[in-house]
């Protein structure tokens, strides 16, 4: 049962309930100059060719900026469209990404795309000493999850984005992702993809064991604990834990006691065999080691077995976003901005979303993706309906105190 | 050092003596220098973190306080014990499996010695993750091993599970450190002159007696090296616990990982590391003494 | 006169050889070894088998259907090819250098006595005992510090981090392993062989290369193999000091967060089969390795 309707509706909730459903088709595919932000509907693929010419036109407004390269772009793996199919067609080399190849061709600059980010702390820890010392980290563009991104931005470790260079972003960013407390004007970041954390289970295994399919988070707490797994991302586990207890997973309203309650709720499960995993749950599902788990939507959407199901529980689900940032000292800042602008072209955004199977932050992508894959367009995990959006909570940006408590509680639970 | 020798290259007993004295240092210098700059220096800095307060972002102030050590020792006793237990178990199993293998290769390998030895280490050129995933496939609840045992033969209960247990963790540790045990053992065994064993047989020693009193003592440097090359890294391992264990079986490596990466708590993280290193050094010293100091000094 | 063995057993009763131990020696031991090597190779077999899989979705966890797609497109992933090449290159270079440095240290520690030898013997174990994350994080801080005043980049190749810093780090942690392995071979080395050579007129350098070196070569080779496998599979330290360069273990660790492509199995299989093939060919061509006695 959802609680958020009973609580005072925050500004964030209102924004969340807005256009993330992907219905804003009246935004242009590619905007021309700043003076013309809204164009007519139904951006066609044909329009994108001259439109990209438009997109390349806007940077010249800002004097003598030249796209330098190679663009050092660090991202999570499998987070951009890959050319397996395109490679077969001979158009692009195997292993290359159509998006990146088209970018390279259009701007005449090379892109050094490294899938080096495995998890936020491991990656950020490798660039932190350089950032603290004020040195160039070597990267021009990185993609970091909300909670870590907010810390980096607050610490002043990013370059400010020149809005003149990113008209697509300004125009096409989904409304629910605007005006975030840690970067209200989008001076420092633009979202790459969003994802949901919810409950996943293997329908066949549950049927075999005569267990009803869960609809609430509380349902899976009742399963044998050694057939369950929660996430090693503490925020995700505790966020869902809060929702299960009927507490709104909103960092601005929770107390440290609330976190303690979640830990106390989970501890008995840990004692009986609960484990915390990353996305090994997919393998565990396949091997029937785990019957249900806290999962990330993209995984099950794109690669679960046919019996793996993802649900947005009744109590609610979590939403998180991975964001593009330009670290301080980046050598090719302008090129990075061009890339940000480029991926906010709905056609490109659709191209990426069609492979990655996460939630695109770009308005108009839903329309574009219908041309590539109508099934994808109808998939609520990619384009959540307003009902789902209403149940999404963002439990990412915690205060230092909350984070410290969270980490302590989690490390006690996980035995480290 | 007579003036008469000044015209040619330096010779003479004193020079030779000086050269001989210098040789060990000349041999040591490059490697030692490398370790000094790229290991000792950074680790000393880590040590200063353990007696400071602060963080990478905010900077550290050297307060010389032992707080970090107190926290480290009081809070994580269980994980230290786990490391000792599982690391020790893995070493023993690796020895029990590895010694016969090294013995076979050394004494029975013939012309294919190098090939078989290579087969022992080649699996470890592939990624650790792939090996672990392969094991997880094999040891899965309904996998090729447990499936038949549980259902066809009915030996094990239906809800028996290997993954997420200490058994899986120790098995993973043993497997991943087996070459570290086999290679030094092989190296020491291969050196043994078989004529010594023949001589023992000529003196009417039985096979086991010959082994116990000739072969094994001669192989001790290898046993020493192999056990240390296995035990020491196994104590600090974290990945086997992470992928194959559960919250109760975490080792000290997992704690250090968590402190440094997630909690950004460098003082306690470094304190834990230094306690671990001190414990290992102590264990090595005791072990060396037990085996006889010749093993330590060669 | 009754003769007894050293154990005090009556000689006459002991003379027939002991069949139990003979059986163990002849049958059990080889069987055990074959099983043990099989055990070592099982995951590799699984890996090779699954490289012929066509997974459902992005994760290669469960067998779906046979396909050689992975082998036809082995590097069909951005950055995979260069990551593999980088790993191989780093492994080869760091192995060579670490083996040389470590062998020299091993020789010095076992054959010469000098002040501080005992201490050094103990300290050599320290790098092995240090958690990798500690070595990695502190090494990175060191490299960053070289870019700041007072050094301010006057020592080249240390910042920005990249290929060279990976090699530096790998050499660092490999040295200890090489030393320990080489010592297992060099200790107890019979100096009289060297003395005999010198009596026959060889100078010290010739003695080393013609007598000592061949005899300790198995130890050096084993150490090199160990160092190579440590380097090619290192993740934690490499992650810290690699900057914008990617290596195969980092790539594998990162990718498994979102996908587990068949390519991992294919590349792993290629490395394994390639390495074994090389050794097989060389050992067949030379008619087997001559026994070094």
């Amino acid at each position: 049962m959802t609680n958020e309707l009973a609580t005072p509706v925050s500004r964030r909730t209102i924004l969340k309930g807005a256009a993330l459903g992907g219905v804003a088709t009246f935004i242009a595919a590619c905007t021309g100059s700043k003076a013309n932000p809204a164009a007519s509907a139904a951006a066609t693929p044909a329009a994108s060719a001259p439109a990209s010419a438009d997109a390349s036109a806007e940077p010249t407004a800002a004097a003598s900026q030249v796209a330098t390269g190679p663009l050092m772009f660090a991202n999570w793996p499998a987070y951009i469209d890959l050319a397996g199919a395109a490679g077969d067609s001979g158009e692009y080399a195997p292993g290359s990404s159509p998006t990146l190849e088209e970018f390279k061709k259009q701007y005449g600059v090379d892109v050094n795309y490294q899938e080096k980010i495995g998890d936020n702390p491991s990656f950020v820890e490798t660039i932190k000493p350089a950032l603290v010392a004020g040195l160039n980290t070597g990267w021009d563009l990185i993609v970091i999850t909300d909670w870590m991104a907010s810390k980096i931005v607050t610490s002043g470790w990013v370059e400010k984005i020149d809005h003149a260079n990113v008209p697509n972003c300004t125009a096409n960013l989904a409304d629910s992702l605007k005006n975030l407390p840690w970067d209200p004007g989008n001076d420092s970041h633009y979202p790459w993809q969003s994802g949901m954390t919810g409950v996943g289970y293997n329908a066949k295994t549950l049927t075999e064991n005569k267990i009803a399919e869960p609809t609430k988070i509380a349902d899976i707490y009742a399963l044998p604990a050694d057939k369950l797994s929660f996430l090693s991302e503490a925020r995700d586990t505790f966020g869902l834990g809060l929702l299960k207890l009927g507490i709104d997973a909103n960092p601005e309203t929770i107390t440290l006691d609330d976190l303690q309650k979640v830990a106390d709720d989970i501890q008995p499960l840990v004692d009986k065999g609960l484990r915390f995993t990353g996305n090994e749950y997919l393998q565990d599902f396949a091997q029937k080691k785990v019957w249900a788990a806290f999962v990330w939507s993209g995984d099950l959407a794109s690669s679960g077995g046919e019996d793996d199901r993802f649900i947005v529980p009744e109590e609610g689900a979590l939403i998180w976003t991975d964001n593009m940032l330009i670290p301080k000292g980046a050598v090719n800042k302008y090129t990075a901005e061009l890339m940000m602008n480029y991926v906010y072209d709905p056609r490109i955004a659709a191209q990426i979303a069609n492979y990655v199977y996460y939630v695109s932050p770009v308005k108009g992508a839903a329309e574009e993706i219908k041309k590539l894959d109508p099934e994808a367009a109808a998939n609520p995990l990619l384009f959540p309906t307003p009902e789902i959006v209403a149940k999404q909570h963002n439990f990412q940006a915690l205060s230092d105190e909350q984070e410290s408590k969270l980490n302590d509680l989690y490390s006690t639970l996980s035995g480290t | 050092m007579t003036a008469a020798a000044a015209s040619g290259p330096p010779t003479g007993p004193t020079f030779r003596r000086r050269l001989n004295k210098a040789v060990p240092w000349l041999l040591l210098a490059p490697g030692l220098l490398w370790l000094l700059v790229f290991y000792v220096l950074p680790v000393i800095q880590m040590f200063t973190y353990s007696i400071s307060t602060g963080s990478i972002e905010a900077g550290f102030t050297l307060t010389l306080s032992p707080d970090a050590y107190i926290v480290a020792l009081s809070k994580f006793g269980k994980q230290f014990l786990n490391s000792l237990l599982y690391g020790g178990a893995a070493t023993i199993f690796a020895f029990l499996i590895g010694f016969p293998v090294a013995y076979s290769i050394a004494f029975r390998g013939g012309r294919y010695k190098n090939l078989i030895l290579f087969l022992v280490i080649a699996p470890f050129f592939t990624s650790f993750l792939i090996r672990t995933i392969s094991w997880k496939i094999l040891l899965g609840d309904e996998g090729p091993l447990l499936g038949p045992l549980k259902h066809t033969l009915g030996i094990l209960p239906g809800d028996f599970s290997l993954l997420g247990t200490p058994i899986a963790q120790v098995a993973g540790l043993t497997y991943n450190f087996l070459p570290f045990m086999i290679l030094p053992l092989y190296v020491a065994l291969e050196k043994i002159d078989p004529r010594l064993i023949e001589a023992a047989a000529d003196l009417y020693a039985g096979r086991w007696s010959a082994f116990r009193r000739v072969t094994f003592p001669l192989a001790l440097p290898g046993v020493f090296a192999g056990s240390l090359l296995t035990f020491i890294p196994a104590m600090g391992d974290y990945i086997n616990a992470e992928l194959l264990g559960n919250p109760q079986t975490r080792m000290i490596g997992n704690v250090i990982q968590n402190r440094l990466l997630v909690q950004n708590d460098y003082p306690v993280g470094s304190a834990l590391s230094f306690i671990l290193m001190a414990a290992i050094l102590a264990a090595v010293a005791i072990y060396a003494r037990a085996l006889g100091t010749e093993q330590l000094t060669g | 006169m009754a003769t007894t063995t050293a154990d005090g057993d009556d000689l006459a009763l002991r003379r027939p050889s002991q069949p139990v131990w003979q059986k163990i020696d002849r049958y059990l031991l080889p069987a055990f070894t074959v099983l043990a090597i099989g055990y070592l190779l099982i995951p590799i077999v699984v890996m090779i088998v699954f490289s012929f899989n066509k997974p459902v979705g992005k994760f290669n966890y469960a067998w779906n259907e046979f396909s050689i797609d992975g082998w036809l497109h082995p590097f069909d992933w951005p950055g995979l090819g260069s990551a593999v090449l980088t790993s191989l290159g780093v492994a080869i270079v760091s192995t060579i250098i670490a083996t040389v440095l470590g062998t020299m240290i091993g020789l010095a520690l076992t054959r010469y006595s000098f002040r501080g030898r005992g201490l050094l013997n103990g300290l050599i174990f320290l790098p092995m005992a240090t958690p990798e994350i500690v070595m990695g994080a502190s090494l990175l801080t060191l490299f960053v510090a070289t870019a700041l005043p007072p050094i301010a980049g006057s020592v080249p190749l240390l910042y920005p981090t990249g290929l060279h810093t990976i090699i530096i780090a790998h050499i660092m942690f490999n040295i200890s392993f090489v030393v320990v392995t080489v010592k297992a071979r060099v200790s107890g080395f019979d100096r009289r062989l060297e003395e005999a050579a010198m009596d026959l007129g060889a100078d010290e350098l010739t003695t080393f290369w013609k007598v000592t070196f061949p005899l300790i070569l198995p130890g050096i080779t084993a150490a090199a193999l160990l160092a190579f496998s440590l380097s090619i599979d290192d993740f934690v330290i490499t992650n810290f000091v690699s900057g914008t360069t990617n290596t195969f273990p980092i790539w594998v660790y990162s990718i498994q967060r979102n996908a587990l492509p068949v390519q991992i199995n294919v590349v792993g299989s290629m490395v394994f089969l390639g390495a074994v093939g090389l050794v097989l060919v060389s050992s067949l061509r030379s008619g087997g390795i001559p026994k070094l006695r």
Side-chain angles (χ1 to χ4, degrees):
Chain A
M1 81 138 217
T2 58
N3 240 4
E4 70 266 49
L5 296 177
T7 57
V9 176
S10 72
R11 193 182 66 192
R12 191 180 283 158
T13 328
I14 295 180
L15 291 169
K16 260 192 257 155
L20 189 56
V23 290
T25 56
F26 76 100
I27 302 297
C30 268
T31 55
S33 64
K34 267 193 306 180
N36 188 18
S40 63
T44 62
S48 66
S52 9
D54 278 342
S56 62
E58 17 78 5
T60 61
S64 54
Q65 280 183 305
V66 178
T68 53
L71 177 72
M72 305 300 293
F73 187 174
N75 202 350
W76 300 70
Y79 230 13
I80 202 169
D81 55 324
L82 291 180
D88 288 340
S89 75
E91 201 185 334
Y92 297 111
S96 56
S97 155
T99 301
L100 294 177
E101 295 303 315
E102 289 166 24
F103 180 87
K104 289 189 213 178
K105 221 182 341 180
Q106 179 168 328
Y107 292 102
V109 81
D110 199 12
V111 176
N112 188 339
Y113 183 78
Q114 297 284 6
E115 293 178 323
K116 267 196 97 165
I117 308 185
D119 64 81
N120 293 292
S122 291
F123 179 74
V124 171
E125 211 60 24
T126 66
I127 56 172
K128 217 187 264 189
L131 289 171
V132 169
L135 294 170
N136 172 21
T137 61
W139 298 106
D140 298 315
L141 193 61
I142 60 180
V143 176
I144 303 288
T145 314
D146 278 339
W147 62 275
M148 185 62 97
S150 69
K151 284 206 250 185
I152 296 180
V153 169
T154 325
S155 306
W157 288 336
V158 291
E159 298 282 349
K160 292 271 185 271
I161 301 173
D162 185 354
H163 291 279
N165 293 335
V166 291
N168 282 348
C169 305
T170 325
N172 296 341
L173 177 59
D175 293 329
S176 62
L177 291 170
K178 290 185 184 159
N179 280 311
L180 295 179
W182 47 273
D183 186 18
N186 283 103
D187 293 320
S188 308
H189 84 285
Y190 271 100
W192 173 262
Q193 296 285 313
S194 297
M196 286 195 281
T197 311
V199 167
Y201 60 90
N202 187 293
K204 191 148 162 251
T205 318
L206 289 183
T207 327
E208 282 171 8
N209 288 282
K210 303 202 180 37
I211 298 178
E213 296 191 5
T215 56
K216 305 159 69 147
I217 305 173
D219 288 342
I220 67 171
Y221 275 54
L223 291 173
D226 59 342
K227 299 288 184 226
L228 209 56
S229 78
F230 287 176
L231 289 169
S232 48
E233 280 280 358
R235 278 171 178 75
D236 288 337
T237 299
F238 273 69
L240 289 178
L242 285 168
L243 291 174
K244 181 248 182 193
L245 291 175
I247 306 171
D248 181 18
N250 184 347
E252 291 178 3
T253 59
I254 58 155
T255 66
L256 298 181
D257 270 337
D258 291 332
L259 294 174
Q260 183 68 55
K261 286 193 208 137
V262 174
D264 295 335
D265 200 27
I266 297 182
Q267 184 67 53
L269 295 175
V270 171
D271 295 334
K272 295 212 215 95
L274 174 73
R275 290 179 305 131
F276 297 94
T277 65
N279 66 353
E280 297 100 70
Y281 51 71
L282 283 172
Q283 187 176 21
D284 291 340
F285 276 141
Q287 301 192 309
K288 313 219 180 150
K289 167 137 188 83
V290 157
W291 294 351
F294 288 167
V295 301
W296 291 305
S297 57
D299 292 340
L300 260 72
S302 65
S303 21
E306 51 180 51
D307 297 311
D308 292 336
R309 311 255 184 280
F310 176 87
I311 57 156
V312 176
E314 281 175 26
E315 301 102 324
L318 301 174
I319 186 148
W320 44 263
T321 310
D322 288 329
N323 306 283
M324 294 185 278
L325 303 170
I326 305 178
K328 208 155 191 69
V331 168
N332 303 307
K333 172 173 181 273
Y334 177 60
T335 322
E337 289 166 349
L338 288 179
M339 176 62 85
M340 281 189 179
N341 190 53
Y342 190 71
V343 300
Y344 267 71
D345 175 344
R347 178 183 74 87
I348 305 289
Q351 199 171 283
I352 296 177
N354 193 31
Y355 176 84
V356 170
Y357 262 61
Y358 275 97
V359 180
S360 175
V362 177
K363 289 195 262 201
E367 280 302 300
E368 287 296 324
I369 211 174
K370 284 194 187 130
K371 300 167 190 134
L372 296 169
D373 181 357
E375 250 183 60
N379 191 334
L381 290 180
L382 269 69
F383 300 101
T385 62
E387 295 82 52
I388 294 181
V389 169
K391 287 207 258 182
Q392 286 170 347
H393 300 253
N394 187 323
F395 192 61
Q396 289 284 308
L398 302 173
S399 71
D400 284 347
E401 219 190 357
Q402 290 168 333
E403 186 180 337
S404 172
K405 182 84 179 155
L406 178 77
N407 284 335
D408 275 339
L409 290 171
Y410 177 74
S411 55
T412 315
L413 283 177
S414 70
T416 54
Chain B
M1 11 161 225
T2 58
S7 52
T11 53
T14 322
F15 176 74
R16 298 240 87 187
R17 228 188 348 247
R18 288 228 191 98
L19 188 61
N20 277 336
K21 263 225 170 98
V23 166
W25 291 105
L26 289 173
L27 285 175
L28 286 172
L32 221 52
L33 212 63
W34 198 278
L35 284 178
L36 217 74
V37 174
F38 297 115
Y39 173 74
V40 176
L41 233 54
V43 162
I44 287 181
Q45 169 160 64
M46 265 313 212
F47 181 72
T48 62
Y49 291 164
S50 73
I51 44 175
S52 310
T53 50
S55 65
I56 292 261
E57 297 95 321
F60 292 94
T61 37
L62 191 66
T63 55
L64 291 180
S65 80
D67 285 341
Y69 285 92
I70 297 174
V71 171
L73 285 168
S74 56
K75 254 182 114 181
F76 300 110
K78 174 158 185 247
Q79 286 87 352
F80 272 117
L81 208 64
N82 280 347
S83 283
L84 201 62
L85 222 64
Y86 299 136
T91 309
I92 294 176
F93 286 127
F95 179 77
L96 291 174
I97 300 178
F99 193 93
V101 175
Y103 185 93
S104 291
I105 304 179
F107 288 98
R108 298 287 142 68
R111 66 195 344 223
Y112 296 114
K113 256 190 234 193
N114 279 18
L115 180 63
I116 305 177
L117 203 64
F118 199 79
L119 276 179
V120 164
I121 188 113
F124 298 83
F125 294 170
T126 63
S127 163
F128 169 88
L129 210 69
I130 310 177
R131 302 196 297 273
T132 308
I133 290 176
S134 303
W135 274 118
K136 284 173 91 169
I137 293 177
L138 285 169
L139 296 178
D141 280 9
E142 307 292 325
L145 179 67
L146 288 185
L149 281 176
K150 278 202 262 187
H151 302 299
T152 329
L153 298 175
I155 301 180
L156 295 168
D159 57 358
F160 184 78
S161 181
L162 271 183
L163 296 176
T165 61
I167 300 176
Q169 196 171 319
V170 173
L173 278 169
T174 308
Y175 178 81
N176 281 299
F177 286 106
L178 207 47
F180 292 57
M181 175 66 81
I182 292 181
L183 278 167
L185 281 176
Y186 164 81
V187 151
L189 283 168
E190 204 259 354
K191 184 179 65 181
I192 299 174
D193 193 338
R195 292 171 299 181
L196 288 169
I197 308 178
E198 278 176 37
D202 288 345
L203 290 169
Y204 299 106
R207 274 222 152 83
W208 171 249
S209 196
F211 174 78
R212 184 168 58 88
R213 302 167 75 180
V214 177
T215 317
F216 192 79
L218 285 173
L220 270 183
V223 175
F224 184 69
S227 1
L228 289 178
L229 279 187
T230 308
F231 181 70
I232 295 178
M235 279 271 284
D237 186 79
Y238 73 97
I239 190 113
N240 281 289
E242 200 174 281
L243 294 180
L244 298 170
N246 62 56
Q248 277 76 26
T249 63
R250 296 276 189 252
M251 296 163 72
I252 204 66
N254 301 92
V255 181
I256 296 175
Q257 187 90 352
N258 182 291
R259 289 285 133 179
L260 288 178
L261 273 190
V262 177
Q263 311 236 28
N264 294 132
D265 186 358
Y266 274 66
V268 173
S270 325
L272 285 163
S273 310
F274 282 94
I275 297 174
L276 178 69
M277 282 154 64
I280 288 179
L281 271 188
V284 170
I286 297 175
Y287 187 45
R289 189 128 316 158
L291 280 190
T293 46
E294 313 85 56
Q295 310 316 327
L296 187 53
T297 56
Chain C
M1 64 192 176
T3 44
T4 54
T5 67
D7 283 333
D9 297 331
D10 186 18
L11 206 54
L13 294 172
R14 273 290 225 97
R15 195 164 309 178
S17 63
Q18 304 179 308
V20 174
W21 288 106
Q22 205 165 31
K23 284 229 173 55
I24 291 182
D25 208 14
R26 188 181 280 186
Y27 302 117
L28 211 64
L29 203 56
F32 184 88
T33 306
V34 168
L35 278 174
I37 297 191
Y39 165 69
L40 278 168
L41 292 177
I42 293 179
I44 306 302
V45 172
V46 174
M47 171 185 76
I48 298 179
V49 165
F50 270 73
S51 72
F52 290 101
N53 186 22
K54 189 188 175 90
V56 175
K58 294 196 226 158
F59 289 83
N60 190 13
Y61 283 143
W63 183 264
N64 182 38
E65 62 181 33
F66 182 88
S67 127
I68 52 171
D69 271 352
W71 287 92
L72 291 178
H73 308 278
F75 294 109
D76 210 16
W77 207 280
L80 171 55
S82 65
V84 173
L85 284 174
T86 307
S87 281
L88 282 173
V90 166
I92 292 174
V93 172
S94 68
T95 299
I96 294 175
I97 302 182
T99 308
V100 168
L101 295 180
T103 305
M104 297 202 310
I105 297 184
L107 284 170
L109 285 177
T110 42
R111 290 151 60 91
Y112 298 90
S113 81
F114 50 89
R115 251 209 312 245
R117 181 169 98 146
L119 190 67
L120 209 52
N121 263 310
L123 291 184
I124 269 295
F125 293 111
L126 268 184
M128 289 195 281
T130 316
E132 285 213 319
I133 189 173
V134 167
M135 288 202 281
S138 52
L139 207 51
L140 178 64
T141 320
L142 178 78
F143 289 143
V144 169
T146 61
L148 303 166
I151 308 180
S154 53
V155 180
L157 290 190
L158 289 183
Y159 196 84
T161 51
L163 191 62
H164 25 267
T165 47
I166 304 179
I167 296 178
I168 290 175
H170 283 216
I171 296 174
M172 178 269 289
F173 68 69
N174 270 333
I175 290 180
S176 300
F177 287 90
V178 172
V179 171
V180 173
T181 311
V182 167
K183 271 175 57 180
R185 180 74 177 189
V186 177
S187 62
F189 187 81
D190 195 347
R191 294 310 265 298
R192 290 170 301 176
L193 291 164
E194 290 176 335
E195 286 170 27
M198 295 209 274
D199 286 346
L200 291 167
D203 66 23
E204 292 194 351
L205 210 58
T206 320
T207 309
F208 179 78
W209 283 114
K210 293 228 136 101
V211 178
T212 319
F213 186 75
L215 286 170
I216 61 175
L217 190 58
I220 299 180
T221 319
L225 282 177
L226 216 54
F228 186 83
S229 70
L230 279 170
S231 169
I232 205 166
D233 204 14
D234 181 68
F235 166 68
V236 181
I237 298 186
T238 315
N239 184 44
F240 275 100
V241 301
S242 52
T244 55
T245 315
N246 214 358
T247 65
F248 186 59
I250 298 181
W251 184 88
V252 171
Y253 173 81
S254 312
I255 198 115
Q256 49 113 14
R257 165 69 160 73
N258 275 342
L260 204 69
V262 184
Q263 277 76 15
I264 297 185
N265 295 51
V266 173
V267 170
S269 307
M270 291 200 310
V271 170
F272 174 77
L273 293 171
V276 173
L278 238 117
V279 174
L280 188 64
V281 163
S282 79
S283 108
L284 286 176
R285 273 181 62 203
S286 64
I289 314 297
K291 291 181 72 159
L292 299 164
R293 288 247 167 257

